[in-house]
Amino acid sequence: MATMTESEKKAGGAWEVIRVVIHALIIAFVIRTFLFQPFNIPSGSMIPTLLVGDYLFVSKFSYGYSRYSFAFSMDLWGNRLFKIGPLPFNGRILASNPNRGDVAVFKLPTDNETDYIKRVIGLPGDRIQVQGGTLYINGEAVKREQVSDFDDTDSYGSERKVRRYRETLPNGVSYYTLDLYDNSPGDNTKEYVVPEGHYFMMGDNRDNSTDSRFLGQVGYVPFENFVGKAQVIFFSHEPDASLLAIWDWPWTIRWDRFFTLLN
């Protein structure tokens, strides 16, 4: 009976490790492409719903799949290691329309590459306007009730109180928004008419969000550009925290935000 040499055993063990790694990468690729993709929040445009330092899962299947569903890249220290997609086809497969109030990730229409996350406010054909900080949909003011102030920290590290409102859309979806300033550039707008096949997106931090109100920077978002729906926050840390400083975790990790479901 033939026996394996020591070198053959080592080669077999090495190949087994490689095979396991390849299988794990394939499984991760399938999950990321077709089911859930992780995103982190780098800016405050969706405060108080999403905070800088939140990590969340986005369901790729919620709206079906477009060419941007298969597009992603990996960067390291500012250098792009690789880029995949978008694939050369138009439209969506297994399409399901976004609902008003969804928190969704989409590709910025001005470059079709940068990931943005905002809330779906206007559906195709809607008339959207903001007057005095109040949102109007099809000529009707959206219900807006002031609640307790939000404790915030400005860019200089100073604590401040920010006006917080509970906004309720016509379909009953309710969430909190912030009002930092009176008469900011997005507080009084013209009336927008959302084109067919497009959506009007806004951040919950209304005075600190570049969104569909600014046509030259974001504008109306084509349905094709939607990547997925934000579902759950799975991890969160303070913006200035270092994840390598494990000894600081009890104070820098936001434990209470783990597994927070999003509307």
Side-chain angles (χ1 to χ4, degrees):
M1 180 177 177
T3 58
M4 294 180 63
T5 65
E6 193 65 28
S7 61
E8 288 174 332
K9 289 180 180 179
K10 289 182 179 179
W15 169 244
E16 181 65 21
V17 171
I18 293 172
R19 186 175 67 84
V20 169
V21 170
I22 291 174
H23 287 175
L25 291 174
I26 291 173
I27 292 170
F29 176 79
V30 170
I31 291 174
R32 190 182 192 280
T33 302
F34 295 100
L35 300 177
F36 295 98
Q37 182 173 344
F39 285 89
N40 74 292
I41 304 301
S43 74
S45 71
M46 282 296 292
I47 296 174
T49 304
L50 297 173
L51 306 180
V52 177
D54 282 348
Y55 290 75
L56 50 90
F57 283 123
V58 169
S59 58
K60 303 290 286 289
F61 52 84
S62 290
Y63 308 128
Y65 304 96
S66 75
R67 58 191 180 130
Y68 299 112
S69 301
F70 308 96
F72 56 87
S73 62
M74 179 174 288
D75 298 334
L76 182 63
W77 296 311
N79 298 312
R80 178 154 293 174
L81 299 181
F82 67 85
K83 177 181 177 182
I84 298 176
L87 297 183
F89 73 91
N90 296 320
R92 299 193 79 89
I93 301 170
L94 303 175
S96 180
N97 293 327
N99 294 313
R100 200 190 306 276
D102 285 358
V103 177
V105 172
F106 59 92
K107 296 295 183 181
L108 184 66
T110 54
D111 67 11
N112 293 323
E113 183 171 331
T114 306
D115 290 317
Y116 264 41
I117 184 166
K118 306 290 180 185
R119 190 178 296 276
V120 178
I121 296 297
L123 307 180
D126 279 346
R127 293 179 289 111
I128 306 294
Q129 188 172 22
V130 181
Q131 291 182 315
T134 298
L135 173 64
Y136 287 79
I137 299 178
N138 297 323
E140 297 290 333
V142 169
K143 182 180 177 181
R144 184 178 187 234
E145 175 189 6
Q146 188 166 0
V147 296
S148 60
D149 289 344
F150 179 77
D151 295 321
D152 191 28
T153 303
D154 64 20
S155 58
Y156 300 100
S158 300
E159 295 183 356
R160 60 181 175 180
K161 298 285 188 180
V162 180
R163 285 171 296 182
R164 177 166 47 179
Y165 294 84
R166 176 178 286 279
E167 197 168 83
T168 304
L169 295 173
N171 63 347
V173 174
S174 183
Y175 49 89
Y176 293 110
T177 66
L178 297 186
D179 189 354
L180 286 166
Y181 316 108
D182 291 325
N183 298 316
S184 68
D187 275 351
N188 295 280
T189 72
K190 68 173 189 176
E191 185 176 77
Y192 305 92
V193 179
V194 185
E196 286 301 315
H198 293 70
Y199 293 82
F200 196 93
M201 315 293 292
M202 292 178 67
D204 292 346
N205 192 356
R206 291 290 163 77
D207 297 328
N208 190 26
S209 174
T210 303
D211 49 42
S212 292
R213 292 171 292 177
F214 306 98
L215 296 180
Q217 296 168 278
V218 179
Y220 310 113
V221 178
F223 185 26
E224 184 180 55
N225 284 47
F226 278 68
V227 174
K229 179 182 178 181
Q231 297 283 8
V232 61
I233 298 169
F234 67 87
F235 185 77
S236 183
H237 63 79
E238 296 293 340
D240 55 352
S242 171
L243 295 183
L244 298 179
I246 299 176
W247 51 88
D248 288 335
W249 279 16
W251 302 277
T252 59
I253 302 300
R254 303 187 187 111
W255 304 100
D256 61 318
R257 293 187 66 77
F258 281 35
F259 307 112
T260 299
L261 297 177
L262 300 170
N263 287 336

